[in-house]
Amino acid sequence: MVHGASELHGVGVGRGVAVGAVLTMPEPLSEPLEHSHGGDAAAEKTAVASAVAEAAAELQARAARADGAGKEVIEAAIQMAQDPMLADDVSARIDAGTTGERAVFEAFRSFQEQLTALGGYMAERATDLGDVSQRIIAALRGVPVPGVPESDAPFILFARDLGPADTALLDLTKVLGLITRDGGPTSHTAILARAKAIPAIVGVGSQTSIAEGTRVVLDAASGIVTVDPSDEQLADAEKRIADRAAQAAAPITDGALADGTKIPLLANLGSPKDAANAVALGAEGVGLFRTEFLFLDAETAPSVAVQQKQYRELLSHFSGKKVVVRALDAGADKPLAFLNDAHEENPALGLRGLRALRDKQQILTDQLQALKNAQDETVASGEPADLWVMAPMVADAGETQYFVDFGKKLGLKTVGVMAEIPSLALVADQVAKIADFVSIGTNDLTQYTLAADRMLGTVASYQSPWHPSVLRLVKLLGDAGAAAGKPVGICGEAAADPQLAVVLVGLGATTLSMTPAALADVRAELAGVTLEQAKAKAAAALAAESADGARAAAAAA
Ligand code: PEP
Ligand code: MG
């Protein structure tokens, strides 16, 4: 029998395999235009009333399937959808000539603004109200409701791209895997998918479509989606899913190579709330705490007290262990209102990272003071944490000196820099003499080395940390660290790719930090190679002429 299997190629995130039917996420709705309905107000009102009833019935059906807090939230949304004051506002706007769609849009928006102004619980409901208005407008247009589709059976989600909120709210009992048309390997969709251990393939091409309900095999390790697989392909995928589940259940040990060389495995975290899970998955400390994730919505710089409380909570999970905290990193992909005020044509090349902190030194002083205070508290409590602090996006020895002096003056003991700009790697020998440690951010280092925006799906094929140019920069840093007796860690997504993790160790990385969900795969891979073998793989990869060539050469060595 000739089978209909075909393949889509993208960039895999993680090592997972998933098998399931595809459901497509509808495109977001465009804002209703501001034109007039042309006279038939009664017909517009009838249409709106039936759209509201349709949306309420859909929500009612969802509420019946949910329980606990989820059920209460949906029931509150149903009540809001049928609020008489809202209905009156919509009617009044239609009477004034506005179309039903636009009237719903405007009335809900104004109600949302009132709720947001009240703050607290009411402000949280404002988001739900936005969801309700989208449902009503979709019903009026006769198009699918935007957002992640609902289904009783588990499925593989196919989307153009996902917003951070979509990814964060994914129901992991339903979404088996994720395929996106856009997005690169270090886009935040990919980072969140990895953090949630959802097998994902991003950037399969903006024109790609997959028929609704088609069965696919998603293999993140190879970056291949097999559409309509054969029985043998299905059986092979199911076996690999079972093998991975067995591997994840293996006992947790500290990171080490086959010859006993210790490679501490650390966690990348964005909130103290994620610390307990990281510890449970065997994180031996924290290799990157992204402090900016705590303050993405803040309008003004957070106070010393507010920060100190968060840092204290983080440190309390890691008594006696190393915790590397990064100073606020307002990157191109995650601007902070209180740090980035100017519009920049090319934000990735702008006043970001340490540059922005130097421009607003009080913010840097407050943050480092809060960190120092939090550490002092752990000492006083008799459970001292080993706090290390580093700066993002540092260019050279002069900037390294600036940050190290700044931190030491405030009493911090261990102060280092991130290697994210190629210039820093090129003068690694100078930097390693000044900094207490270096941590390599391979996401940005790859973006800047290959001049490929990490947010852009069209250049996803350039964004591989396997590229020999990136590996050569890592080697410069590893060699410089070894010569100066300073630790060189990796904290970019590259550390979460097991085969690449081995190569990075062979290039001189002394620790690896990653999203906790990746720890088991990396731990298992390291345990199978000696340092000599890792160095041989690294040498083979360095000599390759492309990212794919480096991956193949390392595998063959
Ligand atoms: C990096 O650039 O590799 C890194 C770890 O920092 P972020 O992903 O937060 O920019
Ligand atoms: Mg970075």
Side-chain angles (χ1 to χ4, degrees):
M1 185 182 87
V2 178
H3 213 278
S6 64
E7 287 183 351
L8 301 175
H9 292 249
V11 180
V13 179
R15 314 285 301 162
V17 180
V19 174
V22 163
L23 289 186
T24 305
M25 181 153 122
E27 294 288 327
L29 297 176
S30 57
E31 185 178 315
L33 297 175
E34 283 181 71
H35 54 220
S36 149
H37 56 64
D40 197 349
E44 292 289 320
K45 286 185 199 172
T46 311
V48 168
S50 83
V52 169
E54 188 180 326
E58 272 170 12
L59 289 168
Q60 205 85 57
R62 276 187 74 190
R65 292 196 300 268
D67 48 21
K71 194 185 188 77
E72 281 168 29
V73 166
I74 301 172
E75 281 168 351
I78 296 168
Q79 271 191 358
M80 288 189 299
Q82 296 172 324
D83 186 302
M85 263 171 43
L86 251 179
D88 288 349
D89 189 1
V90 172
S91 287
R93 289 173 197 268
I94 292 175
D95 286 335
T98 309
T99 62
E101 270 182 30
R102 183 77 198 175
V104 167
F105 175 80
E106 288 176 0
F108 273 72
R109 183 175 60 186
S110 128
F111 195 22
Q112 261 181 302
E113 283 165 3
Q114 291 168 34
L115 289 181
T116 306
L118 290 174
Y121 175 83
M122 296 317 273
E124 284 171 32
R125 299 285 74 77
T127 318
D128 305 334
L129 203 61
D131 177 55
V132 174
S133 89
Q134 291 277 293
R135 284 172 180 276
I136 298 172
I137 294 168
L140 280 168
R141 290 185 188 171
V143 299
V145 178
V148 176
E150 285 149 30
S151 158
D152 289 334
F155 61 95
I156 289 182
L157 181 63
F158 181 51
R160 189 179 49 72
D161 198 0
L162 292 178
D166 295 323
T167 320
L169 294 175
L170 285 183
D171 176 353
L172 298 183
T173 61
K174 290 290 161 54
V175 180
L176 301 166
L178 199 59
I179 305 170
T180 69
R181 294 192 182 101
D182 296 344
T186 50
S187 64
H188 281 94
T189 304
I191 292 177
L192 284 169
R194 193 175 266 123
K196 291 188 148 239
I198 307 173
I201 296 184
V202 300
V204 295
S206 57
Q207 302 306 318
T208 309
S209 64
I210 308 176
E212 217 52 4
T214 307
R215 188 149 57 166
V216 302
V217 171
L218 182 169
D219 178 359
S222 67
I224 295 175
V225 180
T226 308
V227 181
D228 203 7
S230 67
D231 290 346
E232 297 82 67
Q233 287 169 319
L234 275 179
D236 176 58
E238 298 290 1
K239 176 170 179 312
R240 290 171 52 212
I241 292 172
D243 288 349
R244 279 183 54 76
Q247 194 181 69
I252 290 172
T253 54
D254 283 354
L257 301 177
D259 56 18
T261 308
K262 296 236 171 282
I263 306 292
L265 298 178
L266 311 170
N268 287 357
L269 298 180
S271 159
K273 294 190 184 63
D274 303 329
N277 177 51
V279 172
L281 291 171
E284 296 167 58
V286 177
L288 167 64
F289 184 72
R290 290 179 162 108
T291 54
E292 64 280 0
F293 278 15
L294 295 171
F295 308 114
L296 286 178
D297 296 332
E299 295 287 332
T300 53
S303 67
V304 173
V306 162
Q307 295 189 69
Q308 185 174 331
K309 188 159 170 288
Q310 297 271 7
Y311 304 149
R312 174 76 182 88
E313 188 187 337
L314 170 74
L315 295 177
S316 70
H317 291 271
F318 297 96
S319 152
K321 306 236 173 86
K322 166 168 139 180
V323 178
V324 184
V325 177
R326 170 170 77 188
L328 289 164
D329 180 19
D333 51 336
K334 42 185 159 57
L336 294 170
F338 56 89
L339 255 180
N340 311 110
D341 40 16
H343 171 78
E344 295 174 327
E345 208 58 61
N346 294 301
L349 306 181
L351 200 64
R352 304 279 153 160
L354 179 61
R355 303 168 184 186
L357 294 168
R358 287 188 83 160
D359 188 51
K360 298 212 163 78
Q361 291 199 17
Q362 189 57 47
I363 293 179
L364 181 57
T365 305
D366 287 352
Q367 182 173 33
L368 299 191
Q369 190 62 57
L371 283 162
K372 173 75 170 87
N373 295 352
Q375 189 186 26
D376 287 350
E377 283 183 54
T378 71
V379 174
S381 75
E383 297 195 319
D386 183 13
L387 173 71
W388 296 24
V389 178
M390 65 184 181
M393 204 181 169
V394 180
D396 60 16
E399 285 199 347
T400 303
Q401 191 73 61
Y402 166 84
F403 187 72
V404 170
D405 289 349
F406 207 106
K408 300 257 159 144
K409 217 175 285 164
L410 288 168
L412 294 169
K413 238 180 42 224
T414 313
V415 185
V417 292
M418 289 187 76
E420 303 189 284
I421 311 182
S423 61
L424 189 102
L426 294 169
V427 295
D429 56 330
Q430 301 168 357
V431 170
K433 288 188 191 121
I434 302 164
D436 291 326
F437 68 98
V438 174
S439 180
I440 309 178
T442 49
N443 307 335
D444 280 316
L445 188 61
T446 306
Q447 147 165 280
Y448 292 126
T449 303
L450 288 146
D453 184 340
R454 63 193 271 191
M455 303 297 288
L456 216 53
T458 47
V459 292
S461 63
Y462 291 90
Q463 293 155 357
S464 175
W466 275 101
H467 198 281
S469 59
V470 179
L471 300 181
R472 288 179 187 207
L473 293 174
V474 173
K475 177 150 172 40
L476 287 176
L477 290 156
D479 288 349
K486 304 284 175 70
V488 175
I490 310 278
C491 66
E493 294 298 294
D497 171 340
Q499 275 76 34
L500 185 49
V502 168
V503 168
L504 295 168
V505 167
L507 294 171
T510 54
T511 57
L512 299 170
S513 189
M514 66 205 74
T515 185
L519 288 165
D521 283 342
V522 173
R523 184 184 296 121
E525 193 71 27
L526 293 183
V529 291
T530 63
L531 186 57
E532 279 319 303
Q533 288 167 333
K535 284 184 178 166
K537 284 175 183 291
L542 283 177
E545 292 182 358
S546 66
D548 287 347
R551 189 191 282 274

